[in-house]
Amino acid sequence: MPPTSDYVPAGAELSRRDRIYAFVGILLALFLGALDQTIVATALPSIVESLNGIERYAWVVTAYLLASTVMVPIYGKLADITSRRTLELWSIVLFLGGSFLCGLAGEFGPLPILGDGMNQLIAARALQGIGGAGLFAMAFIVIADLFPPRERGKYQGYTGATFGIASVLGPLVGGFLADNGDVLIPGIAGWRWVFYVNLPFGALALWFVLRRMPPLLPPSRGRLDLVAAALLLVGLVPFVLALQLDRRAFPWAGPVSLGLIALTVAGIAGFVWRTRRSDDPILDLDLFRLRIFSTGSAAVFFYGAAFIGLVAFLPLFLVNVLGVSATKAGAALIPLSMGVVFGSTVSGQLVSKFGHYKPFMVGGGLVLAVGTFLLSRMTTATPFWEVTTYMVICGLGVGPSLPLFTLAIQNAVDVRRLGQATSASQFFRQIGGSIGAAALGAVLAVTLMSHLGPEDMSLLAAGGEGARSTAAVSPAAREAFAAATRNMYSLSFGFVVCGWIATLFVPVLPLRKTFGNAPGHGTEIGAAQGQPIEPEVEPA
């Protein structure tokens, strides 16, 4: 294995123009994955009505989330041992294949093994999730190959802007296609275009990656520990699944939930045991002894838990308390997205210019804390314009917060562990979001049950129009939803505070202006064992 200080990524040998072309291909692929997370939700009511699968409604989301979450660490390891362009291509192909199969779900009636159209859709969504995990994981890894850390901030800021734009377009495009897509080609249901629309974007991304991206070979070759990978899946799949189950049907103390938790503990314990004995681990556990990795991972975990509350639960308040339409409730997320776009882009540019990331991390966390605190004070009398203002504040806080942790971790770790460290950061954010959704959902359910009588709860559980209009929801129900919202965002505020405290302990290293490892960087294991690291001194 060559010394990592001598390793120079293949991206360093590219012209500026070719690097930008490769970067555009990565952004297109990332846009695909980000758009899919929001575009499908708007069309889900039409999908389940067409496929007669209302009882499996949640599984369309859960299948994608499950696959995309558990595969992220594996992609990170593969990126450290094989061509990153090859992984990017496979990710796009799997995602597009899953999208195409989602669009075909139910077209040919029941199929062997899979069964009806709803089951076909769920299976195709899982395949989409496997590809989607690669789209997200590989984006930040490839960017690290294309640009040195000092320049990387502004490009990672563009990834945040890509997420923001996709989250704005997703609900709008999804709703439009679901309602009007059948006029594009008569005979094809409009909701199918929600998946088919991925194909032209994916083809363009494939062209950029094939034509403009070099192989981007890793600094060393290795192998994927299949036993450890299997144990990791045994640990993660039941855990994510347990978080997504309907607690009314599967309470935490029930046999199904307890069995899944037992599998999780056994799988993770087995993974740790195997990893400590492996010469080529999927995730080098010594990374957790590096303070910038452990504190950064803790911060993104808590921020991920807080962020899910902004996008998943605010529409409930707007529809059931303020009485706005579902369309207007979806539009209320646009200010959040615009705040994310502005915050991530500007902070990325400033970090690249000045070379300091921590002030923007700390400042972004404070802004996010202010936004979530204001959300936790909302009542039935809070006007719509005030809610959108709070969402802008939250977006401005989220924008600089999440991308910069990836940058800080990449700047510090050994390039041989770049894929592992980068994907682990994204994994903790996704797990934080899953746990946050489960915790906030529990707070919502408990608060509503403590405030409402059986009649109101039955009305809400029915999910009809009465549960979506203040004209039909009683004043008591409105007050209950307002109280639940305050409790949920109080918990979100607590998540943000925990993430901000973790941020205070993130060490500061100068952002390198060159590729590869430099003095004071990439020797994190030695530092964790007590060997001093001299910080890199930038030339005047």
Side-chain angles (χ1 to χ4, degrees):
M1 180 182 297
T4 56
S5 58
D6 296 333
Y7 169 70
V8 178
E13 301 174 358
L14 297 178
S15 67
R16 184 76 178 178
R17 181 180 179 182
D18 285 340
R19 276 189 277 169
I20 295 300
Y21 274 129
F23 177 66
V24 170
I26 289 296
L27 283 189
L28 283 170
L30 186 64
F31 179 78
L32 274 177
L35 185 68
D36 189 77
Q37 291 186 338
T38 55
I39 195 174
V40 174
T42 312
L44 264 181
S46 299
I47 294 173
V48 297
E49 181 182 356
S50 174
L51 298 179
N52 297 316
I54 186 63
E55 75 284 356
R56 288 163 285 173
Y57 181 101
W59 281 99
V60 178
V61 177
T62 300
Y64 183 93
L65 177 66
L66 191 64
S68 62
T69 299
V70 301
M71 286 298 297
V72 166
I74 294 176
Y75 272 109
K77 176 59 182 178
L78 289 173
D80 285 337
I81 62 176
T82 191
S83 166
R84 288 158 185 175
R85 183 180 68 175
T86 299
L87 286 177
E88 182 69 23
L89 289 172
W90 272 109
S91 299
I92 297 173
V93 169
L94 288 172
F95 184 84
L96 293 181
S99 298
F100 183 66
L101 292 176
C102 284
L104 288 179
E107 283 277 42
F108 305 105
L111 297 178
I113 301 177
L114 292 178
D116 65 7
M118 197 66 180
N119 284 348
Q120 296 167 32
L121 176 65
I122 292 169
R125 286 285 285 168
L127 179 61
Q128 248 194 330
I130 294 173
L135 298 183
F136 289 113
M138 296 307 301
F140 291 97
I141 296 171
V142 172
I143 290 173
D145 274 331
L146 297 176
F147 306 100
R150 183 62 182 266
E151 295 182 41
R152 203 176 297 158
K154 63 181 179 181
Y155 293 103
Q156 290 190 343
Y158 293 142
T159 65
T162 300
F163 275 102
I165 293 171
S167 63
V168 171
L169 292 178
L172 300 176
V173 174
F176 174 80
L177 291 176
D179 293 336
N180 305 289
D182 53 354
V183 303
L184 297 176
I185 297 181
I188 298 180
W191 65 263
R192 298 186 187 277
W193 286 103
V194 168
F195 300 105
Y196 292 150
V197 74
N198 291 329
L199 303 181
F201 286 108
L204 187 58
L206 277 175
W207 183 88
F208 270 101
V209 173
L210 282 169
R211 295 294 301 272
R212 298 295 183 178
M213 184 183 292
L216 298 179
L217 298 175
S220 60
R221 291 289 185 174
R223 62 180 181 84
L224 178 66
D225 187 336
L226 295 179
V227 174
L231 290 169
L232 183 63
L233 293 178
V234 169
L236 294 181
V237 170
F239 179 65
V240 177
L241 185 58
L243 293 174
Q244 299 301 311
L245 290 177
D246 185 347
R247 295 274 76 86
R248 292 170 298 181
F250 303 98
W252 283 113
V256 173
S257 296
L258 291 178
L260 291 173
I261 296 300
L263 272 176
T264 296
V265 173
I268 295 300
F271 174 75
V272 171
W273 176 84
R274 175 74 179 187
T275 296
R276 292 197 176 281
R277 287 157 178 78
S278 176
D279 295 329
D280 199 9
I282 290 177
L283 176 62
D284 193 332
L285 299 181
D286 282 335
L287 283 173
F288 289 97
R289 300 166 64 188
L290 174 65
R291 190 154 62 97
I292 200 167
F293 179 82
S294 57
T295 55
S297 297
V300 298
F301 172 86
F302 286 113
Y303 284 149
F307 183 71
I308 194 68
L310 302 177
V311 296
F313 293 97
L314 184 73
L316 287 175
F317 174 83
L318 294 172
V319 172
N320 293 287
V321 178
L322 300 190
V324 306
S325 66
T327 301
K328 191 173 182 180
L333 298 180
I334 294 178
L336 171 69
S337 303
M338 292 296 96
V340 171
V341 170
F342 182 82
S344 61
T345 303
V346 172
S347 63
Q349 296 285 342
L350 293 175
V351 168
S352 291
K353 180 177 180 179
F354 297 109
H356 301 289
Y357 51 79
K358 190 164 183 178
F360 299 96
M361 289 178 174
V362 174
L366 283 176
V367 173
L368 181 57
V370 170
T372 51
F373 176 77
L374 292 173
L375 288 171
S376 72
R377 312 301 294 172
M378 295 190 300
T379 68
T380 55
T382 302
F384 183 81
W385 68 265
E386 201 169 301
V387 178
T388 58
T389 302
Y390 298 162
M391 295 301 279
V392 171
I393 295 172
C394 289
L396 292 173
V398 170
S401 296
L402 295 179
L404 294 183
F405 287 100
T406 299
L407 172 62
I409 289 172
Q410 288 178 337
N411 184 59
V413 300
D414 189 313
V415 292
R416 290 172 298 182
R417 301 176 179 88
L418 183 66
Q420 298 176 49
T422 302
S423 62
S425 174
Q426 296 173 50
F427 171 75
F428 284 117
R429 182 174 69 244
Q430 290 182 235
I431 286 293
S434 297
I435 293 177
L440 294 170
V443 169
L444 172 66
V446 169
T447 307
L448 290 179
M449 286 189 292
S450 67
H451 282 73
L452 298 179
E455 290 185 4
D456 283 314
M457 286 301 297
S458 298
L459 177 65
L460 296 175
E465 287 300 319
R468 303 188 186 102
S469 170
T470 54
V473 175
S474 68
R478 293 183 61 207
E479 290 289 350
F481 269 107
T485 300
R486 289 193 294 273
N487 290 341
M488 286 191 294
Y489 284 120
S490 293
L491 179 57
S492 291
F493 174 72
F495 288 146
V496 174
V497 170
C498 290
W500 186 77
I501 291 174
T503 303
L504 296 179
F505 293 94
V506 172
V508 177
L509 283 176
L511 290 175
R512 291 177 284 113
K513 296 181 178 180
T514 58
F515 288 98
N517 288 337
H521 296 78
T523 50
E524 74 281 353
I525 303 304
Q529 295 171 343
Q531 301 172 16
I533 290 182
E534 296 296 329
E536 177 186 7
V537 179
E538 297 186 10

